[in-house]
Amino acid sequence: MNMRRFPRTAKAVSTAVVTAGLLASCAAGEEKTVPRLPERICWNGAFTGSDVSPLLPPGEEAKFSRLAGRHFVLTKELDSAICTLYIDGNTKFQARATRRGFAESIEWSSWNRADPKPLDVGEEGNIWDTGAASYFTCEPAKNPNSPGRYIELMITANYAPDKSKLQATLPALMKEFMAYAQRELKCPEG
């Protein structure tokens, strides 16, 4: 065999093997699925993994932000707890709780373009095509100069494969989040 032809022959054979492999995987029709989630997720158990899974797009790997495993604690005004779930390195689900000093400081006008609808969870809530927000009073302000504890909750799932399923799931998910926050922060249930 001529040694000059060997690199060209090897290249052609390797290209054929790679192409055959790609075609075989396409022919097998392997559909990506949502990566398996733990039974309880975010802050050691705010949500059930099976409730969140339908809101996620398919992918290879699910990872949580390092803050998702910390304890759910909001000690001072504007303190936040954030749980971010990444699928294949991209944010696909996020839950956030923020402590506010006054109910008037909770403001969602930036979501007006998303045409939010009222959400009957907490004292006031909104739901839009990719998420929901609500708040509850943990401890009311005693006077205009003495802040209370108002807890703002937000859930976003920007890449849900079925937006109608997202809209149907978000109210129950927000109720679950609110019950968890009230329990963890030792707030009266309301």
Side-chain angles (χ1 to χ4, degrees):
M1 177 176 198
N2 184 338
M3 291 307 275
R4 289 185 192 173
R5 278 200 230 159
F6 181 75
R8 283 187 287 179
T9 305
K11 184 177 177 182
V13 168
S14 64
T15 301
V17 168
V18 169
T19 303
L22 289 172
L23 290 174
S25 68
C26 289
E30 285 186 35
E31 228 179 271
K32 281 188 176 183
T33 60
V34 174
R36 185 170 163 80
L37 297 180
E39 187 177 326
R40 302 291 306 179
I41 64 169
C42 294
W43 307 291
N44 300 314
F47 305 101
T48 60
S50 59
D51 286 346
V52 172
S53 284
L55 308 180
L56 302 174
E60 298 291 323
E61 180 182 43
K63 282 190 176 181
F64 290 90
S65 62
R66 62 182 177 77
L67 297 177
R70 79 174 192 142
H71 293 290
F72 189 85
V73 178
L74 303 173
T75 56
K76 58 186 184 272
E77 190 172 348
L78 296 179
D79 198 4
S80 289
I82 301 171
C83 174
T84 304
L85 172 59
Y86 305 100
I87 303 270
D88 298 339
N90 298 304
T91 302
K92 301 301 180 184
F93 174 85
Q94 189 171 69
R96 182 182 72 200
T98 304
R99 179 178 166 177
R100 306 279 183 179
F102 299 94
E104 296 79 24
S105 63
I106 299 170
E107 201 273 320
W108 301 316
S109 65
S110 62
W111 294 104
N112 286 347
R113 292 183 312 155
D115 193 28
K117 307 291 184 249
L119 175 65
D120 190 23
V121 176
E123 293 179 42
E124 182 182 340
N126 286 320
I127 186 168
W128 59 93
D129 62 342
T130 61
S134 184
Y135 84 92
F136 65 92
T137 302
C138 187
E139 180 183 325
K142 292 172 183 60
N143 62 55
N145 298 320
S146 176
R149 290 193 311 157
Y150 299 88
I151 310 302
E152 177 185 20
L153 306 174
M154 188 172 292
I155 298 172
T156 54
N158 292 331
Y159 300 94
D162 183 346
K163 296 291 185 193
S164 65
K165 190 178 283 189
L166 176 65
Q167 293 292 298
T169 304
L170 279 171
L173 209 56
M174 186 58 82
K175 284 179 185 173
E176 185 178 358
F177 192 13
M178 186 167 294
Y180 176 83
Q182 288 171 328
R183 187 174 57 251
E184 292 298 306
L185 300 173
K186 297 176 178 39
C187 300
E189 291 182 29

